[in-house]
Amino acid sequence: MEETEASLLHQCPLLLPQNRAKTVYEGFITAQGRDFHIKILLPEDLQLKNARLLCSWQLRTILNGYHQIVQQRMKHSPDLMSFMMELKMVLEVALKNKQEIHALPPPPQFYSSLIEEIGILGWDKLVSADSCFSTVKLKAEDASGREHLITLKLKAKYPAESPDCSVDFPVSFSVSRTPQSSIISIYSQFLAALESLKAFWDVMDEIDEKTWVLEPEKPTRSATARRIAVGHNASINIEVDPRHPTMLPECCFLGADHVVKPLGIKLSRNIHLWDPENTLLQNLKDVLEIDFPARTILEKSDFSMDCGICYAFQLDGAIPDQVCDNPQCGQPFHQICLYEWLRGLQTSRQSFNILFGECPYCSKPITLKMSGRKP
């Protein structure tokens, strides 16, 4: 009991008992640097569920809408100290919400300046704006006719304070700040950035339109990687440099060794044939000496199979990327599925980050090289 009273005094030093029975407490509760008068009447058994809470009119006004929560906490709190801590938390939330509701609106010139700038840009560029015009979304087309969006979060002191910008770019978009960073200036920089990335998006669009991209399923404009099908349960994962999109990308072959090893050999042997003047897709065809499965002729199911363990193609966003090296089998598996399968076999063994075991389908040897992150 004395320990609880000491804790109460420590947490609420301005709330003191008014009688020896300690059935009446009066004083102040503090939140966000403000003190609010409060009085608590406890029954003789000191049970909070039968207590009465008396508030000043200021506190009562702030807690308007929170009465049910306060009563509920009073019924379920084990002691006065616990209740006061919870009441303080409720009060903090109520004060914060009141501040947001009663925040001063931007001055009239904020709106007049904004409307004038959008008018100069053209109202057809405006996609959406919230009721306060604090978030504005604009659109623009690049030279290839692709539509792009920029979202601006405007501050009350705009244009003295530059807005925050959000775009779907593969590189960072930094706005050159000036004392008067207007929407027109930012939009102009947005258009310049679109022009600088046109070659990158041309490269990625050609890949998306002319090959079967296994991952990502719905690539965004910021996505720089593509996993492209090259054959039955074999693929190449490329990472394209947005600043130099026609240069040789980072390449990683995925599939059975008897399929992907020859591709790796061709890449090493023909790398001198890479011509930055050609498109990335054409260079890949020339260097690897292959034609990628075409979307116009083949279906995705023609060269992709479900995991042989979970019988699903997608698992938590991942597709099967581990393949049995036995040419008569070639069954694909998700990395996590094969990892769990091999861990459960007594005959499996591990050397550093490589697991050795048997294929669940043909029982021939199979290995799993675990990535840096645990599957």
Side-chain angles (χ1 to χ4, degrees):
M1 184 71 176
E2 289 181 3
E3 191 175 321
T4 303
E5 289 176 9
S7 299
L8 178 62
L9 183 62
H10 176 73
Q11 296 294 338
C12 304
L14 302 180
L15 184 69
L16 300 172
Q18 301 299 304
N19 58 10
R20 289 189 176 183
K22 295 182 179 176
T23 57
V24 179
Y25 280 81
E26 189 170 4
F28 297 88
I29 182 172
T30 305
Q32 293 191 6
R34 296 171 61 185
D35 295 330
F36 300 93
H37 185 260
I38 191 172
K39 189 173 185 178
I40 301 172
L41 306 177
L42 295 167
E44 291 183 2
D45 60 5
L46 303 181
Q47 293 296 309
L48 272 171
K49 62 183 179 181
N50 297 319
R52 287 181 61 204
L53 177 65
L54 305 177
C55 305
S56 64
W57 68 268
Q58 293 100 331
L59 184 56
R60 194 161 53 247
T61 302
I62 293 169
L63 291 177
N64 184 31
Y66 295 85
H67 293 164
Q68 191 172 353
I69 297 173
V70 172
Q71 289 174 355
Q72 184 186 42
R73 298 323 308 148
M74 186 178 284
K75 284 184 180 179
H76 294 94
S77 294
D79 51 52
L80 183 57
M81 200 272 288
S82 300
F83 170 69
M84 289 304 298
M85 293 303 297
E86 296 201 48
L87 179 61
K88 192 171 183 177
M89 288 188 348
V90 172
L91 182 54
E92 293 275 0
V93 171
L95 283 169
K96 183 181 177 184
N97 291 338
K98 290 282 184 186
Q99 288 172 355
E100 291 176 356
I101 292 171
H102 297 292
L104 290 175
Q109 55 266 33
F110 169 90
Y111 297 102
S112 59
S113 172
L114 195 57
I115 297 299
E116 182 182 353
E117 288 182 50
I118 295 175
I120 294 172
L121 281 177
W123 286 94
D124 58 316
K125 307 291 193 304
L126 180 67
V127 177
S128 64
D130 62 8
S131 58
C132 301
F133 269 82
S134 59
T135 302
V136 176
K137 188 175 290 186
L138 303 171
K139 65 181 178 181
E141 281 192 1
D142 62 22
S144 296
R146 290 175 289 254
E147 186 176 286
H148 302 268
L149 301 176
I150 179 170
T151 302
L152 305 174
K153 291 193 175 295
L154 303 167
K155 298 165 186 175
K157 294 183 180 179
Y158 172 83
E161 280 189 89
S162 298
D164 295 327
C165 305
S166 175
V167 294
D168 188 18
F169 283 0
V171 295
S172 61
F173 176 62
S174 300
V175 176
S176 297
R177 297 185 178 277
T178 64
Q180 299 289 320
S181 290
S182 68
I183 285 182
I184 296 172
S185 168
I186 293 170
Y187 191 80
S188 176
Q189 294 177 58
F190 177 55
L191 293 178
L194 293 182
E195 181 60 29
S196 71
L197 290 166
K198 175 186 175 299
F200 167 75
W201 286 317
D202 286 345
V203 162
M204 305 310 274
D205 280 358
E206 184 185 24
I207 292 171
D208 293 338
E209 291 165 8
K210 296 183 178 179
T211 70
W212 274 110
V213 174
L214 303 179
E215 290 182 296
E217 193 170 359
K218 295 180 180 179
T220 62
R221 288 296 175 196
S222 59
T224 57
R226 295 292 190 274
R227 181 176 170 187
I228 309 168
V230 296
H232 190 64
N233 291 319
S235 58
I236 178 175
N237 193 78
I238 61 171
E239 185 75 37
V240 182
D241 183 350
R243 297 301 187 192
H244 307 94
T246 58
M247 299 298 286
L248 177 68
E250 292 182 30
C251 299
C252 176
F253 295 101
L254 301 166
D257 282 350
H258 70 277
V259 177
V260 300
K261 274 188 176 179
L263 293 174
I265 293 170
K266 289 177 182 177
L267 177 62
S268 300
R269 185 179 66 209
N270 298 330
I271 197 168
H272 66 282
L273 299 175
W274 194 277
D275 183 0
E277 296 299 316
N278 290 335
T279 67
L280 186 144
L281 183 59
Q282 186 59 51
N283 273 315
L284 285 175
K285 290 179 180 180
D286 294 342
V287 171
L288 299 177
E289 301 175 12
I290 62 169
D291 281 320
F292 289 94
R295 299 179 70 94
T296 54
I297 302 171
L298 299 171
E299 295 294 329
K300 201 171 188 177
S301 56
D302 292 331
F303 45 77
S304 61
M305 290 174 59
D306 293 342
C307 171
I309 296 173
C310 73
Y311 303 109
F313 183 66
Q314 285 230 355
L315 179 66
D316 294 333
I319 65 176
D321 59 0
Q322 306 296 316
V323 181
C324 177
D325 288 333
N326 179 9
Q328 283 73 46
C329 178
Q331 177 64 45
F333 308 97
H334 292 116
Q335 187 184 48
I336 181 63
C337 295
L338 188 58
Y339 173 76
E340 295 294 343
W341 173 273
L342 294 177
R343 279 210 318 167
L345 295 179
Q346 292 183 347
T347 53
S348 297
R349 61 187 180 85
Q350 181 172 347
S351 176
F352 297 100
N353 65 332
I354 300 177
L355 271 173
F356 300 87
E358 296 178 354
C359 171
Y361 266 59
C362 66
S363 298
K364 295 293 184 181
I366 192 171
T367 60
L368 170 64
K369 185 175 182 180
M370 294 175 286
S371 57
R373 67 184 191 281
K374 187 176 177 180

